[in-house]
Amino acid sequence: AQSVSQHNHHVILSEAASLELGCNYSYGGTVNLFWYVQYPGQHLQLLLKYFSGDPLVKGIKGFEAEFIKSKFSFNLRKPSVQWSDTAEYFCAVNLPMNYGGSQGNLIFGKGTKLSVKP
Amino acid sequence: DAGITQSPRHKVTETGTPVTLRCHQTENHRYMYWYRQDPGHGLRLIHYSYGVKDTDKGEVSDGYSVSRSKTEDFLLTLESATSSQTSVYFCATSTGALQFFGPGTRLTVL
């Protein structure tokens, strides 16, 4: 079965520090990749997505992620974090329907909590 | 964000009682999903629906049933709630490969 691994359970940074959150997935074929963010007490919001094309994708709020197919990775980065980035971040994968996936069914990692100290 | 509402937003119930959570969408999305979120587990799919009266099981479907009689509504029922079903439940809808999430329902089973 496909799985998604997020390497860090909890990351603590000071404001202006750089961020990189790791995500690896287990499926060897074509995948769609996502990062979602959940601010305290709120629902999940899409941060960015990768379907195809340029492996470096830019999302909202200055976040970006790089898809490295050879490493089965989709790491999230931000050059300079802010206190308002304190949230939980989830990496997710789904398989395109013509590759055996069910429409939209997402497989989530367990999440990484980011705490940014002001 | 897609127009997704969930009700109730909070519920406390006792072991053995039936509970129904409702998800309502205004986007006319064909696909709808129920997830549960637990610390250290991320989000796990309970059931999903690919159309009116068309549903299928997800990863953690035991103890849950769903129904979808209208495009806009997707109900999740716990026939006899247990303490292990204490969780935050999120509904989602999708268009293409993108999923949009509702605000969640926090359920506590005592």
Side-chain angles (χ1 to χ4, degrees):
Chain A
Q2 296 79 32
S3 66
V4 177
S5 298
Q6 292 184 239
H7 312 303
N8 307 101
H9 176 63
H10 192 184
V11 173
I12 302 173
L13 296 173
S14 297
E15 275 195 315
S18 64
L19 170 72
E20 181 160 3
L21 301 182
C23 172
N24 286 91
Y25 60 94
S26 65
Y27 184 68
T30 300
V31 293
N32 298 322
L33 297 155
F34 307 83
W35 276 97
Y36 281 85
V37 61
Q38 185 178 29
Y39 298 103
Q42 296 189 25
H43 62 286
L44 273 76
Q45 302 171 44
L46 183 67
L47 204 52
L48 47 77
K49 64 187 184 296
Y50 173 79
F51 291 167
S52 63
D54 188 345
L56 184 61
V57 292
K58 296 194 182 299
I60 60 172
K61 303 184 181 184
F63 286 90
E64 64 179 29
E66 185 175 15
F67 170 53
I68 302 179
K69 188 174 182 179
S70 61
K71 295 185 178 180
F72 304 97
S73 71
F74 190 54
N75 292 354
L76 181 71
R77 300 194 292 246
K78 186 171 184 179
S80 177
V81 295
Q82 300 173 315
W83 176 79
S84 58
D85 293 324
T86 294
E88 191 160 14
Y89 294 81
F90 293 93
C91 182
V93 170
N94 72 4
L95 305 182
M97 286 190 71
N98 57 337
Y99 284 85
S102 298
Q103 168 79 16
N105 283 8
L106 285 173
I107 302 165
F108 282 89
K110 294 184 178 181
T112 297
K113 283 190 178 178
L114 172 65
S115 298
V116 180
K117 299 182 197 175
Chain B
D1 287 341
I4 305 171
T5 57
Q6 293 184 230
S7 59
R9 295 292 313 281
H10 301 270
K11 186 170 182 65
V12 179
T13 191
E14 293 186 348
T15 298
T17 60
V19 176
T20 296
L21 308 183
R22 179 177 182 248
C23 177
H24 179 79
Q25 60 140 333
T26 59
E27 301 296 318
N28 201 35
H29 289 167
R30 178 181 169 195
Y31 282 76
M32 297 184 75
Y33 309 83
W34 277 107
Y35 292 91
R36 60 177 290 173
Q37 183 180 26
D38 304 289
H41 290 276
L43 275 81
R44 293 178 291 175
L45 182 66
I46 304 171
H47 282 279
Y48 68 99
S49 169
Y50 47 96
V52 173
K53 298 186 179 177
D54 292 322
T55 64
D56 205 349
K57 296 179 179 180
E59 178 188 354
V60 290
S61 59
D62 287 348
Y64 301 94
S65 62
V66 290
S67 65
R68 192 166 178 202
S69 58
K70 299 186 287 185
T71 298
E72 56 267 34
D73 291 324
F74 192 32
L75 304 181
L76 176 71
T77 297
L78 291 67
E79 301 290 349
S80 177
T82 67
S83 58
S84 64
Q85 294 176 311
T86 292
S87 186
V88 180
Y89 292 85
F90 285 98
C91 173
T93 70
S94 74
T95 173
L98 289 179
Q99 285 196 17
F100 303 92
F101 287 82
T105 294
R106 184 173 295 275
L107 175 67
T108 302
V109 183
L110 301 176

